[in-house]
Amino acid sequence: MRHLLDFQGWTRAQVESLLDTAKVMREVLERPVKKVPALQGFTVATVFFEPSTRTRISFELAARRMSADVVSFTAATSSLQKGESYKDTLLTLEAMGIDAYVIRADAAGVPHQATRWVKGAVINGGDGRRAHPTQALLDAYTLLEALGTLEGKKVAIVGDILHSRVARSNAELLSLLGAEVWCAGPPSLLPEALPGARLTPSLEEALREADAVMVLRLQKERMETGLVHLDDYIARYQVTERRLGLAKPQAPLLHPGPMNRDVELEGALADSERSLVNRQVQNGVAVRMAVLYHLLVGREGA
Amino acid sequence: MRFKAELMNAEEMRRALYRIAHEIVEANKGVEGLVLIGIHTRGIPLAERIARYILGFEGKEVPVGTLDITLYRDDLTEIGVRPKVRETRIPFDLTGKAVVLVDDVLYTGRTARAALDALMDLGRPKRIYLAVLVDRGHRELPIRADFVGKNVPTAKSEVVKVKVQEVDGEDRVELWEREGL
């Protein structure tokens, strides 16, 4: 694979190989010196046309842990404000000799387009509602740590499925790894179909016997556009201790962050032992190290 | 590739490793502070065997760790096929220890250099020894082994294959000739 845009064309073996590498990277992050020279001489650019803190920092840390040089571009402080196009921004960076671009954009398809403009590897850091593959990879890695396998496991994803690139990428990836993915949310926040997932407006149906539960952030603008009413959402879809009782005992709880405590998730649950939120953040760096290694070093072999 | 000769059979391998085990204990004046680190892949079973031999004649366990040097290779930007990264497992502190790095073949010295860099990132050993089953020459770096099972002068067109029971189902060292060079 030259780029990571989504999981189309990826095989289960390729994903498993990448997650195996992430396991080694996790160990690197626990060493006294949390750094290896594998990507010495490479330059990675984080190109964030849309604001993000955790994904950008996670990628930058991952690149630095591998000894790559990192340059950071954020739209708010850039020539985009002066009318420069995405393409010209990327071509300018290309002229500076970048080896890999981590691109986040509010418009779907920008990372795909970028592969036509630049020679380096392109990693989708989240585009519109379409995909957020490294988030899905770190979620899968965290679930594998907790459950051992995803084969035949029921994973419930709860919240605003319609606008969620995280739900879309997770449905694609977790089903590729053998999981049964259920997505639950208010009818106004459910798409007509989602490849790899079963959709239901019934939170109870999704949570029943679930091996793991992933809660998505409810975005304020959905309330402002009238797609959902906050009180109604909390009453019917907030993941609470009582509702989580429908899932298997000790089923882990994931959230991609940032979290609205006591909106989509009962605050106390976020801090409970079942919550893997901090583990997801830690694993994010390891998974992104593995992605950079797989895209920048050599070609796939045995 | 064309098979040329058997360099060591199972019994010769056993004797060489047994001798290395004795030499290590002698050099370290006992097993105090001694640890063995096997380099992936075949260095690991060799390190485990040396530890077993030491346990046999000294009656003391020597900790064994495993080291993968892939992320420290100096040719990662040049290679064609991406090497698989494997687990490094050193469940003990290296600081102040006498570390014996164990590998099957010593050739250019680049693997040993990468292993030294990796070890330095993992702790601060008191000293590091290098033990290899076969030293085939052709060094590209100023590195030498402290303990050697067998010195084998080779041509660059030749390949030394170490086979171990744990990985390959048999103990044997073979010399092969690369064809078409």
Side-chain angles (χ1 to χ4, degrees):
Chain A
M1 291 290 164
R2 272 199 63 219
H3 310 289
L4 173 58
L5 303 171
D6 48 41
F7 297 109
Q8 279 175 29
W10 281 67
T11 64
R12 183 169 175 167
Q14 284 171 320
V15 172
E16 285 171 346
S17 162
L18 199 144
L19 295 177
D20 280 347
T21 304
K23 196 175 166 192
V24 176
M25 300 307 182
R26 193 75 187 75
E27 180 269 318
V28 169
L29 295 176
E30 282 156 17
R31 294 181 185 177
V33 178
K34 299 168 183 57
K35 194 165 182 155
V36 289
L39 296 187
Q40 206 161 24
F42 286 101
T43 306
V44 175
T46 53
V47 188
F48 278 54
F49 297 120
E50 183 191 66
S52 154
T53 307
R54 71 180 63 205
T55 303
R56 186 172 56 78
I57 290 175
S58 180
F59 265 112
E60 290 181 3
L61 206 51
R64 291 198 171 104
R65 298 287 194 227
M66 306 277 285
S67 300
D69 293 315
V70 179
V71 293
S72 180
F73 168 94
T74 46
T77 56
S78 75
S79 298
L80 272 188
Q81 302 302 317
K82 301 177 195 164
E84 190 175 60
S85 67
Y86 290 164
K87 182 178 177 180
D88 286 335
T89 301
L90 286 163
L91 289 178
T92 303
L93 289 166
E94 178 76 358
M96 295 183 194
I98 304 297
D99 299 293
Y101 300 82
V102 181
I103 299 176
R104 165 166 292 197
D106 51 6
V110 174
H112 277 81
Q113 283 290 336
T115 62
R116 297 187 192 125
W117 302 328
V118 298
K119 290 196 194 79
V122 174
I123 300 163
N124 185 353
D127 65 328
R129 304 177 188 181
R130 225 190 56 81
H132 195 352
T134 58
Q135 177 69 43
L137 282 165
L138 76 89
D139 290 337
Y141 182 87
T142 307
L143 284 169
L144 282 167
E145 263 188 343
L147 304 175
T149 176
L150 284 169
E151 192 62 56
K153 301 288 183 186
K154 179 179 177 182
V155 180
I157 304 178
V158 182
D160 178 359
I161 308 297
L162 180 65
H163 302 95
S164 175
R165 53 192 171 211
V166 174
R168 203 167 295 272
S169 281
N170 264 295
E172 211 176 357
L173 181 66
L174 298 179
S175 62
L176 182 66
L177 293 171
E180 187 186 302
V181 181
W182 285 74
C183 290
S188 61
L189 297 179
L190 278 181
E192 279 182 22
L194 189 66
R198 299 184 200 192
L199 300 168
T200 174
S202 164
L203 178 62
E204 286 69 26
E205 188 182 17
L207 290 182
R208 194 168 299 122
E209 291 297 304
D211 293 281
V213 179
M214 186 182 299
V215 187
L216 303 175
R217 183 168 67 98
L218 187 67
Q219 291 171 314
K220 229 200 295 180
E221 54 267 35
R222 309 298 169 225
M223 291 170 239
E224 284 158 6
T225 51
L227 279 172
V228 65
H229 295 287
L230 183 62
D231 293 342
D232 190 37
Y233 185 89
I234 291 172
R236 296 182 58 197
Y237 289 98
Q238 184 186 73
V239 175
T240 61
E241 179 94 50
R242 187 178 58 79
R243 285 174 173 154
L244 200 57
L246 290 167
K248 287 197 178 149
Q250 306 310 314
L253 199 56
L254 286 81
H255 192 302
M259 193 187 300
N260 297 310
R261 279 171 183 267
D262 294 315
V263 176
E264 64 261 12
L265 180 65
E266 209 170 50
L269 274 180
D271 304 320
S272 71
E273 279 184 9
R274 293 172 78 157
S275 166
L276 299 181
V277 175
N278 289 336
R279 193 72 188 166
Q280 284 173 277
V281 176
Q282 291 164 357
N283 289 341
V285 178
V287 162
R288 286 165 178 135
M289 287 166 77
V291 168
L292 288 169
Y293 178 75
H294 273 243
L295 294 185
L296 289 175
V297 175
R299 60 173 192 277
E300 263 172 272
Chain B
M1 283 206 296
R2 185 172 58 83
F3 177 77
K4 280 184 85 172
E6 180 181 82
L7 298 175
M8 295 173 96
N9 61 26
E11 183 52 25
E12 286 164 333
M13 271 176 71
R14 190 195 63 77
R15 263 192 238 120
L17 291 171
Y18 198 75
R19 175 174 51 76
I20 287 174
H22 273 287
E23 286 172 356
I24 289 170
V25 173
E26 202 170 321
N28 192 58
K29 298 181 173 61
V31 296
E32 191 60 37
L34 188 68
V35 298
L36 300 175
I37 306 282
I39 299 176
H40 269 287
T41 301
R42 288 168 183 77
I44 296 170
L46 298 182
E48 284 164 350
R49 287 189 208 182
I50 292 170
R52 269 205 307 278
Y53 294 147
I54 293 175
L55 176 66
F57 59 73
E58 287 288 309
K60 287 180 184 156
E61 296 252 10
V62 176
V64 180
T66 69
L67 182 69
D68 182 74
I69 55 95
T70 305
L71 297 171
Y72 288 81
R73 281 172 60 156
D74 60 5
D75 59 350
L76 275 178
T77 53
E78 297 160 23
I79 50 170
V81 176
R82 179 180 61 239
K84 185 176 164 59
V85 188
R86 289 153 304 183
E87 193 186 15
T88 289
R89 197 176 49 78
I90 302 180
F92 43 80
D93 189 5
L94 291 177
T95 303
K97 299 280 170 33
V99 177
V100 184
L101 271 173
V102 182
D103 206 359
D104 53 352
V105 179
L106 178 58
Y107 181 30
T108 61
R110 289 176 187 271
T111 299
R113 183 212 62 85
L116 291 171
D117 282 352
L119 279 184
M120 296 302 184
D121 284 352
L122 291 163
R124 193 175 182 283
K126 189 173 77 179
R127 73 160 295 169
I128 300 173
Y129 296 100
L130 177 61
V132 296
L133 184 65
V134 176
D135 183 347
R136 62 164 292 192
H138 302 287
R139 218 74 80 236
E140 292 170 4
L141 299 171
I143 281 172
R144 64 163 185 81
D146 300 281
F147 312 106
V148 180
K150 189 179 178 79
N151 282 294
V152 183
T154 58
K156 280 201 163 180
S157 59
E158 290 171 332
V159 173
V160 175
K161 279 191 191 178
V162 172
K163 293 182 173 177
V164 292
Q165 191 72 40
E166 296 87 334
V167 180
D168 312 289
E170 61 175 332
D171 283 343
R172 190 170 141 94
V173 182
E174 299 169 343
L175 185 67
W176 291 70
E177 175 78 39
R178 267 201 215 102
E179 286 171 317
L181 282 180

